[in-house]
Amino acid sequence: SIISENNSIQDKIRCYWEQALNMKVNDKDKTFFELGGNSILLTKMYKAIHEEQNWEKLRMVDFFKYPTIDSFAEYLKTLGYS
């Protein structure tokens, strides 16, 4: 994986979004779906995250509850991830 443990949580999430969407993500206020994502891409990204990160408490529904990079990062921090 190109995602380093030293990256901030926002950077890690942005990297996963960019891989899934196959584009640079510069607008942190847009949701994954507003940037062109769909349920198939979300499922692939979710699988990649689970294979590469130790975010076991993460659920698929969390992507819908916290749809932006910043809101998702803040949620992960409440779960104790960094």
Side-chain angles (χ1 to χ4, degrees), residues 45-78:
M45 181 174 67
Y46 178 76
K47 183 177 184 232
I49 289 171
H50 268 278
E51 289 175 355
E52 298 173 11
Q53 299 296 324
N54 190 25
W55 298 345
E56 294 137 5
K57 299 175 192 170
L58 183 63
R59 299 172 304 152
M60 182 75 78
V61 69
D62 296 333
F63 290 97
F64 296 95
K65 286 182 173 179
Y66 309 97
T68 65
I69 289 173
D70 284 348
S71 66
F72 196 71
E74 288 305 311
Y75 171 67
L76 288 175
K77 288 176 187 175
T78 69

Side-chain angles (χ1 to χ4, degrees), residues 9-63:
I9 201 158
Q10 284 91 347
D11 288 342
K12 289 177 187 178
I13 296 165
R14 180 176 287 109
C15 285
Y16 283 112
W17 282 32
E18 289 177 349
Q19 288 174 3
L21 297 168
N22 198 29
M23 64 181 271
K24 233 13 189 164
V25 176
N26 295 315
D27 190 344
K28 65 180 186 174
D29 296 322
K30 293 228 175 179
T31 70
F32 182 78
F33 296 102
E34 289 173 327
L35 292 168
N38 59 45
S39 59
I40 293 169
L41 294 175
L42 180 64
T43 302
K44 289 179 181 179
M45 181 174 67
Y46 178 76
K47 183 177 184 232
I49 289 171
H50 268 278
E51 289 175 355
E52 298 173 11
Q53 299 296 324
N54 190 25
W55 298 345
E56 294 137 5
K57 299 175 192 170
L58 183 63
R59 299 172 304 152
M60 182 75 78
V61 69
D62 296 333
F63 290 97

